[in-house]
Amino acid sequence: MTAVAYLISGMLVWGGIGWLVDHWVGTRGIFAGIGAVVGMAGGVYLIVRRLGA
């Protein structure tokens, strides 16, 4: 359950930051997509680092 929480929270947080950057720059979803991918990568990193999976 912790692993799923890491993945979802990373995607939501970094995707949200990307969404805000999209609104600031005036693009349509480019940075939100990049943020979601970065969030997923960060979530996987945390899972491997903390849970040793």
Side-chain angles (χ1 to χ4, degrees):
M1 194 65 168
T2 304
V4 174
Y6 282 147
L7 286 175
I8 291 174
S9 63
M11 218 170 45
L12 288 176
V13 168
W14 286 104
I17 291 170
W19 181 77
L20 290 173
V21 171
D22 276 330
H23 280 285
W24 182 54
V25 175
T27 56
R28 290 183 164 213
I30 294 170
F31 291 105
I34 292 170
V37 170
V38 168
M40 284 183 66
V44 170
Y45 173 75
L46 283 176
I47 290 168
V48 170
R49 182 80 172 146
R50 293 189 180 184
L51 301 178

Short mmCIF file of all heavy atoms in Angstrom, two decimals:
data_model
loop_
_atom_site.label_atom_id
_atom_site.label_comp_id
_atom_site.label_asym_id
_atom_site.label_seq_id
_atom_site.Cartn_x
_atom_site.Cartn_y
_atom_site.Cartn_z
N MET A 1 0.82 -1.19 0.00
CA MET A 1 0.00 0.00 0.00
C MET A 1 0.87 1.26 0.00
O MET A 1 0.52 2.25 -0.61
CB MET A 1 -0.91 -0.05 1.22
CG MET A 1 -2.02 0.91 1.16
SD MET A 1 -3.07 0.47 -0.21
CE MET A 1 -4.44 1.46 0.10
N THR A 2 1.98 1.20 0.70
CA THR A 2 2.89 2.35 0.74
C THR A 2 3.47 2.64 -0.63
O THR A 2 3.59 3.79 -1.03
CB THR A 2 4.03 2.08 1.73
OG1 THR A 2 3.47 1.77 3.01
CG2 THR A 2 4.94 3.27 1.86
N ALA A 3 3.78 1.60 -1.38
CA ALA A 3 4.35 1.77 -2.72
C ALA A 3 3.36 2.48 -3.64
O ALA A 3 3.73 3.38 -4.40
CB ALA A 3 4.75 0.42 -3.30
N VAL A 4 2.10 2.10 -3.58
CA VAL A 4 1.07 2.74 -4.39
C VAL A 4 0.91 4.20 -3.99
O VAL A 4 0.76 5.08 -4.84
CB VAL A 4 -0.27 1.98 -4.26
CG1 VAL A 4 -1.38 2.70 -4.97
CG2 VAL A 4 -0.13 0.57 -4.79
N ALA A 5 0.97 4.48 -2.71
CA ALA A 5 0.86 5.86 -2.23
C ALA A 5 2.03 6.71 -2.73
O ALA A 5 1.83 7.88 -3.11
CB ALA A 5 0.81 5.88 -0.71
N TYR A 6 3.23 6.15 -2.75
CA TYR A 6 4.38 6.89 -3.28
C TYR A 6 4.19 7.23 -4.75
O TYR A 6 4.47 8.34 -5.19
CB TYR A 6 5.67 6.08 -3.12
CG TYR A 6 6.27 6.09 -1.74
CD1 TYR A 6 6.95 4.98 -1.25
CD2 TYR A 6 6.17 7.20 -0.92
CE1 TYR A 6 7.51 4.98 0.02
CE2 TYR A 6 6.74 7.21 0.34
CZ TYR A 6 7.39 6.10 0.80
OH TYR A 6 7.95 6.11 2.05
N LEU A 7 3.71 6.27 -5.54
CA LEU A 7 3.52 6.49 -6.97
C LEU A 7 2.43 7.54 -7.24
O LEU A 7 2.63 8.46 -8.03
CB LEU A 7 3.16 5.19 -7.67
CG LEU A 7 4.28 4.19 -7.86
CD1 LEU A 7 3.73 2.91 -8.46
CD2 LEU A 7 5.37 4.76 -8.73
N ILE A 8 1.31 7.40 -6.57
CA ILE A 8 0.20 8.33 -6.80
C ILE A 8 0.53 9.72 -6.31
O ILE A 8 0.28 10.71 -7.01
CB ILE A 8 -1.08 7.79 -6.13
CG1 ILE A 8 -1.55 6.54 -6.88
CG2 ILE A 8 -2.18 8.85 -6.14
CD1 ILE A 8 -2.71 5.83 -6.24
N SER A 9 1.11 9.83 -5.12
CA SER A 9 1.42 11.16 -4.59
C SER A 9 2.49 11.86 -5.41
O SER A 9 2.40 13.07 -5.66
CB SER A 9 1.83 11.08 -3.12
OG SER A 9 3.02 10.33 -2.98
N GLY A 10 3.50 11.12 -5.86
CA GLY A 10 4.52 11.73 -6.70
C GLY A 10 3.94 12.24 -8.00
O GLY A 10 4.25 13.34 -8.47
N MET A 11 3.07 11.43 -8.61
CA MET A 11 2.44 11.83 -9.86
C MET A 11 1.55 13.06 -9.66
O MET A 11 1.57 13.98 -10.48
CB MET A 11 1.60 10.68 -10.40
CG MET A 11 1.66 10.53 -11.87
SD MET A 11 0.92 9.02 -12.49
CE MET A 11 -0.59 8.86 -11.62
N LEU A 12 0.78 13.08 -8.59
CA LEU A 12 -0.11 14.21 -8.35
C LEU A 12 0.65 15.50 -8.02
O LEU A 12 0.32 16.57 -8.53
CB LEU A 12 -1.08 13.89 -7.21
CG LEU A 12 -2.17 12.88 -7.54
CD1 LEU A 12 -3.00 12.58 -6.31
CD2 LEU A 12 -3.05 13.38 -8.67
N VAL A 13 1.66 15.39 -7.18
CA VAL A 13 2.41 16.59 -6.78
C VAL A 13 3.17 17.17 -7.96
O VAL A 13 3.03 18.35 -8.29
CB VAL A 13 3.36 16.27 -5.60
CG1 VAL A 13 4.33 17.40 -5.37
CG2 VAL A 13 2.57 15.97 -4.34
N TRP A 14 3.98 16.35 -8.63
CA TRP A 14 4.78 16.88 -9.73
C TRP A 14 3.94 17.19 -10.96
O TRP A 14 4.24 18.13 -11.70
CB TRP A 14 5.92 15.93 -10.05
CG TRP A 14 6.97 16.01 -9.00
CD1 TRP A 14 7.20 15.10 -8.01
CD2 TRP A 14 7.91 17.07 -8.80
NE1 TRP A 14 8.22 15.54 -7.22
CE2 TRP A 14 8.68 16.74 -7.68
CE3 TRP A 14 8.16 18.27 -9.47
CZ2 TRP A 14 9.69 17.56 -7.21
CZ3 TRP A 14 9.17 19.09 -8.99
CH2 TRP A 14 9.92 18.73 -7.88
N GLY A 15 2.87 16.42 -11.17
CA GLY A 15 1.95 16.74 -12.25
C GLY A 15 1.23 18.05 -11.98
O GLY A 15 1.01 18.85 -12.90
N GLY A 16 0.89 18.30 -10.72
CA GLY A 16 0.27 19.58 -10.34
C GLY A 16 1.22 20.75 -10.52
O GLY A 16 0.82 21.82 -10.99
N ILE A 17 2.46 20.55 -10.18
CA ILE A 17 3.46 21.60 -10.40
C ILE A 17 3.62 21.87 -11.89
O ILE A 17 3.68 23.02 -12.33
CB ILE A 17 4.81 21.22 -9.74
CG1 ILE A 17 4.67 21.26 -8.22
CG2 ILE A 17 5.92 22.14 -10.21
CD1 ILE A 17 5.85 20.68 -7.48
N GLY A 18 3.63 20.80 -12.68
CA GLY A 18 3.71 20.96 -14.13
C GLY A 18 2.49 21.67 -14.69
O GLY A 18 2.59 22.49 -15.61
N TRP A 19 1.33 21.37 -14.14
CA TRP A 19 0.10 22.05 -14.55
C TRP A 19 0.18 23.54 -14.27
O TRP A 19 -0.22 24.36 -15.10
CB TRP A 19 -1.08 21.41 -13.83
CG TRP A 19 -2.41 21.99 -14.18
CD1 TRP A 19 -3.13 21.77 -15.32
CD2 TRP A 19 -3.16 22.89 -13.37
NE1 TRP A 19 -4.29 22.49 -15.26
CE2 TRP A 19 -4.34 23.18 -14.07
CE3 TRP A 19 -2.96 23.47 -12.13
CZ2 TRP A 19 -5.31 24.03 -13.57
CZ3 TRP A 19 -3.93 24.32 -11.63
CH2 TRP A 19 -5.08 24.58 -12.34
N LEU A 20 0.71 23.89 -13.11
CA LEU A 20 0.88 25.32 -12.78
C LEU A 20 1.86 26.00 -13.73
O LEU A 20 1.63 27.13 -14.17
CB LEU A 20 1.35 25.48 -11.33
CG LEU A 20 0.33 25.13 -10.26
CD1 LEU A 20 0.99 25.17 -8.88
CD2 LEU A 20 -0.85 26.08 -10.31
N VAL A 21 2.93 25.30 -14.06
CA VAL A 21 3.91 25.85 -15.02
C VAL A 21 3.26 26.01 -16.39
O VAL A 21 3.49 27.01 -17.08
CB VAL A 21 5.17 24.96 -15.09
CG1 VAL A 21 6.08 25.39 -16.22
CG2 VAL A 21 5.92 24.98 -13.77
N ASP A 22 2.41 25.05 -16.78
CA ASP A 22 1.68 25.17 -18.05
C ASP A 22 0.84 26.44 -18.09
O ASP A 22 0.81 27.15 -19.10
CB ASP A 22 0.78 23.96 -18.28
CG ASP A 22 1.49 22.78 -18.88
OD1 ASP A 22 2.47 22.99 -19.62
OD2 ASP A 22 1.07 21.64 -18.61
N HIS A 23 0.14 26.71 -17.01
CA HIS A 23 -0.68 27.93 -16.96
C HIS A 23 0.17 29.18 -16.97
O HIS A 23 -0.21 30.19 -17.56
CB HIS A 23 -1.60 27.91 -15.74
CG HIS A 23 -2.81 27.07 -15.94
ND1 HIS A 23 -3.87 27.47 -16.72
CD2 HIS A 23 -3.11 25.83 -15.50
CE1 HIS A 23 -4.78 26.52 -16.75
NE2 HIS A 23 -4.34 25.51 -16.01
N TRP A 24 1.30 29.13 -16.33
CA TRP A 24 2.18 30.29 -16.26
C TRP A 24 2.81 30.58 -17.62
O TRP A 24 2.90 31.72 -18.05
CB TRP A 24 3.24 30.04 -15.20
CG TRP A 24 4.19 31.17 -14.99
CD1 TRP A 24 3.88 32.47 -14.72
CD2 TRP A 24 5.61 31.10 -15.04
NE1 TRP A 24 5.01 33.20 -14.58
CE2 TRP A 24 6.10 32.39 -14.78
CE3 TRP A 24 6.51 30.08 -15.27
CZ2 TRP A 24 7.46 32.66 -14.76
CZ3 TRP A 24 7.86 30.36 -15.23
CH2 TRP A 24 8.31 31.64 -14.98
N VAL A 25 3.24 29.51 -18.32
CA VAL A 25 3.92 29.67 -19.61
C VAL A 25 2.91 29.81 -20.75
O VAL A 25 3.20 30.46 -21.75
CB VAL A 25 4.87 28.47 -19.86
CG1 VAL A 25 5.50 28.52 -21.23
CG2 VAL A 25 5.93 28.41 -18.79
N GLY A 26 1.73 29.20 -20.60
CA GLY A 26 0.72 29.28 -21.64
C GLY A 26 0.72 28.08 -22.57
O GLY A 26 0.22 28.18 -23.69
N THR A 27 1.25 26.97 -22.14
CA THR A 27 1.25 25.76 -22.95
C THR A 27 0.06 24.88 -22.56
O THR A 27 -0.65 25.18 -21.61
CB THR A 27 2.56 24.98 -22.79
OG1 THR A 27 2.76 24.69 -21.41
CG2 THR A 27 3.73 25.78 -23.31
N ARG A 28 -0.13 23.80 -23.29
CA ARG A 28 -1.28 22.93 -23.05
C ARG A 28 -0.85 21.53 -22.65
O ARG A 28 -0.82 20.63 -23.47
CB ARG A 28 -2.14 22.84 -24.30
CG ARG A 28 -2.85 24.09 -24.61
CD ARG A 28 -3.72 23.87 -25.81
NE ARG A 28 -4.69 24.94 -25.92
CZ ARG A 28 -5.90 24.79 -26.38
NH1 ARG A 28 -6.28 23.61 -26.80
NH2 ARG A 28 -6.71 25.81 -26.45
N GLY A 29 -0.51 21.32 -21.41
CA GLY A 29 -0.26 19.99 -20.89
C GLY A 29 1.14 19.44 -21.06
O GLY A 29 1.39 18.31 -20.66
N ILE A 30 2.03 20.18 -21.66
CA ILE A 30 3.38 19.66 -21.87
C ILE A 30 4.08 19.45 -20.54
O ILE A 30 4.60 18.36 -20.25
CB ILE A 30 4.20 20.61 -22.76
CG1 ILE A 30 3.60 20.65 -24.16
CG2 ILE A 30 5.66 20.20 -22.81
CD1 ILE A 30 4.17 21.72 -25.05
N PHE A 31 4.10 20.47 -19.71
CA PHE A 31 4.80 20.38 -18.44
C PHE A 31 4.05 19.50 -17.43
O PHE A 31 4.68 18.88 -16.58
CB PHE A 31 5.05 21.77 -17.86
CG PHE A 31 6.06 22.55 -18.65
CD1 PHE A 31 5.67 23.58 -19.49
CD2 PHE A 31 7.40 22.24 -18.58
CE1 PHE A 31 6.59 24.30 -20.21
CE2 PHE A 31 8.34 22.94 -19.31
CZ PHE A 31 7.93 23.98 -20.14
N ALA A 32 2.74 19.42 -17.55
CA ALA A 32 1.98 18.52 -16.68
C ALA A 32 2.35 17.07 -16.98
O ALA A 32 2.52 16.26 -16.06
CB ALA A 32 0.49 18.74 -16.86
N GLY A 33 2.50 16.74 -18.25
CA GLY A 33 2.92 15.39 -18.62
C GLY A 33 4.33 15.08 -18.17
O GLY A 33 4.61 14.00 -17.65
N ILE A 34 5.22 16.05 -18.36
CA ILE A 34 6.59 15.87 -17.90
C ILE A 34 6.62 15.72 -16.39
O ILE A 34 7.33 14.87 -15.85
CB ILE A 34 7.47 17.05 -18.37
CG1 ILE A 34 7.63 17.02 -19.89
CG2 ILE A 34 8.84 17.02 -17.68
CD1 ILE A 34 8.27 18.26 -20.47
N GLY A 35 5.84 16.54 -15.69
CA GLY A 35 5.79 16.46 -14.23
C GLY A 35 5.25 15.12 -13.75
O GLY A 35 5.75 14.57 -12.77
N ALA A 36 4.25 14.59 -14.44
CA ALA A 36 3.71 13.28 -14.05
C ALA A 36 4.75 12.18 -14.22
O ALA A 36 4.88 11.30 -13.37
CB ALA A 36 2.46 12.98 -14.86
N VAL A 37 5.50 12.24 -15.31
CA VAL A 37 6.55 11.24 -15.54
C VAL A 37 7.65 11.37 -14.50
O VAL A 37 8.14 10.37 -13.95
CB VAL A 37 7.11 11.36 -16.98
CG1 VAL A 37 8.35 10.51 -17.16
CG2 VAL A 37 6.04 10.99 -17.99
N VAL A 38 8.05 12.61 -14.20
CA VAL A 38 9.07 12.84 -13.17
C VAL A 38 8.57 12.35 -11.81
O VAL A 38 9.31 11.74 -11.04
CB VAL A 38 9.47 14.33 -13.13
CG1 VAL A 38 10.30 14.65 -11.90
CG2 VAL A 38 10.22 14.71 -14.38
N GLY A 39 7.29 12.60 -11.52
CA GLY A 39 6.71 12.13 -10.27
C GLY A 39 6.69 10.63 -10.15
O GLY A 39 6.96 10.06 -9.09
N MET A 40 6.38 9.95 -11.25
CA MET A 40 6.40 8.49 -11.24
C MET A 40 7.82 7.97 -11.05
O MET A 40 8.04 7.02 -10.30
CB MET A 40 5.81 7.93 -12.53
CG MET A 40 4.31 8.02 -12.57
SD MET A 40 3.61 7.30 -14.05
CE MET A 40 4.03 5.60 -13.81
N ALA A 41 8.77 8.59 -11.72
CA ALA A 41 10.17 8.17 -11.55
C ALA A 41 10.63 8.39 -10.11
O ALA A 41 11.32 7.55 -9.54
CB ALA A 41 11.06 8.94 -12.52
N GLY A 42 10.23 9.52 -9.54
CA GLY A 42 10.57 9.78 -8.13
C GLY A 42 9.91 8.78 -7.21
O GLY A 42 10.51 8.34 -6.21
N GLY A 43 8.68 8.40 -7.51
CA GLY A 43 7.99 7.40 -6.70
C GLY A 43 8.67 6.05 -6.76
O GLY A 43 8.83 5.37 -5.75
N VAL A 44 9.10 5.66 -7.95
CA VAL A 44 9.82 4.39 -8.10
C VAL A 44 11.14 4.45 -7.34
O VAL A 44 11.53 3.48 -6.67
CB VAL A 44 10.05 4.06 -9.60
CG1 VAL A 44 11.00 2.89 -9.76
CG2 VAL A 44 8.72 3.78 -10.27
N TYR A 45 11.82 5.59 -7.43
CA TYR A 45 13.07 5.75 -6.69
C TYR A 45 12.84 5.60 -5.19
O TYR A 45 13.60 4.91 -4.50
CB TYR A 45 13.69 7.11 -7.00
CG TYR A 45 14.89 7.42 -6.14
CD1 TYR A 45 16.11 6.81 -6.38
CD2 TYR A 45 14.79 8.31 -5.07
CE1 TYR A 45 17.21 7.08 -5.59
CE2 TYR A 45 15.88 8.59 -4.27
CZ TYR A 45 17.08 7.96 -4.53
OH TYR A 45 18.16 8.23 -3.72
N LEU A 46 11.80 6.24 -4.67
CA LEU A 46 11.50 6.13 -3.24
C LEU A 46 11.13 4.70 -2.85
O LEU A 46 11.52 4.23 -1.77
CB LEU A 46 10.35 7.07 -2.86
CG LEU A 46 10.71 8.53 -2.72
CD1 LEU A 46 9.47 9.35 -2.44
CD2 LEU A 46 11.74 8.75 -1.63
N ILE A 47 10.40 4.02 -3.70
CA ILE A 47 10.05 2.63 -3.40
C ILE A 47 11.29 1.77 -3.31
O ILE A 47 11.47 1.00 -2.36
CB ILE A 47 9.09 2.08 -4.48
CG1 ILE A 47 7.73 2.77 -4.36
CG2 ILE A 47 8.94 0.57 -4.37
CD1 ILE A 47 6.82 2.52 -5.54
N VAL A 48 12.20 1.92 -4.26
CA VAL A 48 13.42 1.12 -4.25
C VAL A 48 14.30 1.51 -3.06
O VAL A 48 14.87 0.66 -2.38
CB VAL A 48 14.18 1.29 -5.59
CG1 VAL A 48 15.57 0.68 -5.52
CG2 VAL A 48 13.38 0.69 -6.72
N ARG A 49 14.39 2.80 -2.81
CA ARG A 49 15.28 3.29 -1.74
C ARG A 49 14.77 2.93 -0.34
O ARG A 49 15.52 2.46 0.50
CB ARG A 49 15.40 4.80 -1.88
CG ARG A 49 16.30 5.46 -0.91
CD ARG A 49 17.73 5.31 -1.35
NE ARG A 49 18.53 6.13 -0.47
CZ ARG A 49 19.74 5.80 -0.11
NH1 ARG A 49 20.29 4.73 -0.58
NH2 ARG A 49 20.41 6.57 0.70
N ARG A 50 13.50 3.14 -0.09
CA ARG A 50 12.97 2.96 1.27
C ARG A 50 12.44 1.57 1.55
O ARG A 50 12.52 1.07 2.66
CB ARG A 50 11.88 3.98 1.54
CG ARG A 50 12.41 5.38 1.59
CD ARG A 50 11.38 6.33 2.06
NE ARG A 50 11.95 7.68 2.09
CZ ARG A 50 11.31 8.73 2.53
NH1 ARG A 50 10.08 8.59 2.98
NH2 ARG A 50 11.89 9.90 2.53
N LEU A 51 11.85 0.95 0.53
CA LEU A 51 11.25 -0.36 0.76
C LEU A 51 12.12 -1.51 0.29
O LEU A 51 11.84 -2.67 0.56
CB LEU A 51 9.87 -0.43 0.07
CG LEU A 51 8.85 0.62 0.52
CD1 LEU A 51 7.58 0.47 -0.26
CD2 LEU A 51 8.60 0.51 2.01
N GLY A 52 13.17 -1.19 -0.48
CA GLY A 52 14.08 -2.21 -0.93
C GLY A 52 13.47 -3.21 -1.90
O GLY A 52 13.88 -4.37 -1.95
N ALA A 53 12.50 -2.76 -2.67
CA ALA A 53 11.82 -3.68 -3.60
C ALA A 53 12.60 -3.83 -4.89
O ALA A 53 13.20 -3.01 -5.43
CB ALA A 53 10.42 -3.16 -3.92
#
